[in-house]
Amino acid sequence: MTRQYGIIGHPLAHSLSPLVHNWGFSRFGIDGHYEACDTPPEALSAFMTRFRQIPMAGLSVTIPHKTAVMAYADVVTDLGLEVGAVNTLYWRDNVLWAENTDVEGFCRPLVEAGLSVGAALVLGCGGAARAVVVGLKRLGAARIAVTGRTREKAEALAAAFSLEVVDWEARADYPAQLCVNATPMGMRGRLEALSPYPGDRLGPGRIVYDLVYNPRRTRFAVEAGQSGATVVSGLDMFVYQAVEQFRLWTGRVLPAEELRPLLMQALYGEAPARG
């Protein structure tokens, strides 16, 4: 019998997760099928009832359900509790576990590139920022500060994780080696022309990690590259969180070097040049 998987969120029109995981099932000859299940908040309870009745073999979770879905799991991992959000449901011995693979997704590109983290500044205060903060703590960042256009939200995040708070207007004055964009600024559409950080304050020795990966090169990433800073793409975070999801469900490890060109083709219409 084909094992059923899916992703819940709202909206889901442009989710790349079905492409990733159905490719993975084909790659390893697994009899599985993954589909997008657009689920507005008021439909979450009914969906989770169906999830158990079918039962589905695994689930990806995205906005706006990453916190609410925790109440429907049997066990939430320590990491999920620490972040306060999960993005993956999986079964172990008929027990439904909730996990957060965004932290692994965030950390892995920095580790693989051999980039050490000194002082870090997180731009943004939402759910993605929480996973980033936990990741930075696991990487042993010497200092972590958070900033956002709404001071109260920044203070709430800082209080939850014992962070420094930086005024949005003074963000470029903070001595950050690593700047992480966890805001939607730069995302394709009406925010595309925006950058969360002044480009003239970047330079060699700095690391810029933009969680926005569509368009391929955000204004933030372009200006960082022009300044001589090291740029880490948010696409890598997406790749590695998906790799970890697939491992939890199947025990198999998706080859990132094959998955990345597949996603670049889907997103940007061309695979990266080789060599």
Side-chain angles (χ1 to χ4, degrees), residues 79 87 100-110 131 209 211 232-244:
L79 180 58
N87 70 328
N100 186 302
T101 71
D102 287 329
V103 174
E104 170 69 11
F106 171 76
C107 292
R108 183 92 173 266
L110 293 169
Y209 196 147
L211 303 194
V232 180
S233 170
L235 183 61
D236 288 332
M237 177 175 173
F238 177 79
V239 166
Y240 286 119
Q241 65 80 28
V243 167
E244 181 63 7

Side-chain angles (χ1 to χ4, degrees), residues 15-250:
S15 174
L16 293 169
S17 294
L19 172 68
V20 170
H21 294 295
N22 285 319
W23 173 82
F25 295 143
S26 177
R27 171 73 166 69
F28 288 107
I30 295 171
D31 188 9
H33 178 71
Y34 184 109
E35 65 180 346
C37 306
D38 194 302
T39 308
E42 62 273 16
L44 178 60
S45 179
F47 179 89
M48 291 308 302
T49 297
R50 292 196 304 275
F51 175 87
R52 287 181 179 270
Q53 288 174 343
I54 292 173
M56 292 180 71
L59 192 67
S60 304
V61 183
T62 189
I63 295 170
H65 303 310
K66 288 188 176 186
T67 296
V69 80
M70 295 166 70
Y72 296 90
D74 299 321
V75 182
V76 179
T77 65
D78 290 344
L79 180 58
L81 291 171
E82 185 179 2
V83 177
V86 299
N87 70 328
T88 309
L89 299 184
Y90 66 98
W91 295 97
R92 287 292 181 272
D93 300 322
N94 295 317
V95 174
L96 183 61
W97 287 74
E99 177 62 285
N100 186 302
T101 71
D102 287 329
V103 174
E104 170 69 11
F106 171 76
C107 292
R108 183 92 173 266
L110 293 169
V111 172
E112 294 211 339
L115 297 172
S116 59
V117 180
L121 177 64
V122 180
L123 304 154
C125 313
R130 296 179 69 92
V132 167
V133 167
V134 172
L136 290 170
K137 286 179 173 287
R138 294 198 165 208
L139 292 172
R143 296 173 65 184
I144 306 173
V146 61
T147 186
R149 285 177 291 181
T150 304
R151 174 81 184 193
E152 292 75 15
K153 291 182 179 179
E155 289 177 342
L157 180 60
F161 291 99
S162 300
L163 312 175
E164 301 174 58
V165 180
V166 174
D167 284 333
W168 182 254
E169 293 74 15
R171 63 195 184 282
D173 297 326
Y174 183 79
Q177 177 199 9
L178 169 66
C179 291
V180 183
N181 178 30
T183 80
M185 297 176 74
M187 189 177 294
R188 185 176 298 283
R190 64 185 180 85
L191 301 177
E192 190 167 349
L194 303 179
S195 172
Y197 198 88
D200 59 1
R201 300 295 295 273
L202 297 167
R206 306 286 293 279
I207 304 168
V208 160
Y209 196 147
D210 197 343
L211 303 194
V212 175
Y213 55 82
N214 194 10
R216 181 174 177 178
R217 296 179 180 86
T218 62
R219 177 180 169 185
F220 187 31
V222 168
E223 292 178 348
Q226 291 172 341
S227 76
T230 298
V231 179
V232 180
S233 170
L235 183 61
D236 288 332
M237 177 175 173
F238 177 79
V239 166
Y240 286 119
Q241 65 80 28
V243 167
E244 181 63 7
Q245 284 187 333
F246 198 83
R247 185 192 67 79
L248 288 171
W249 294 331
T250 69

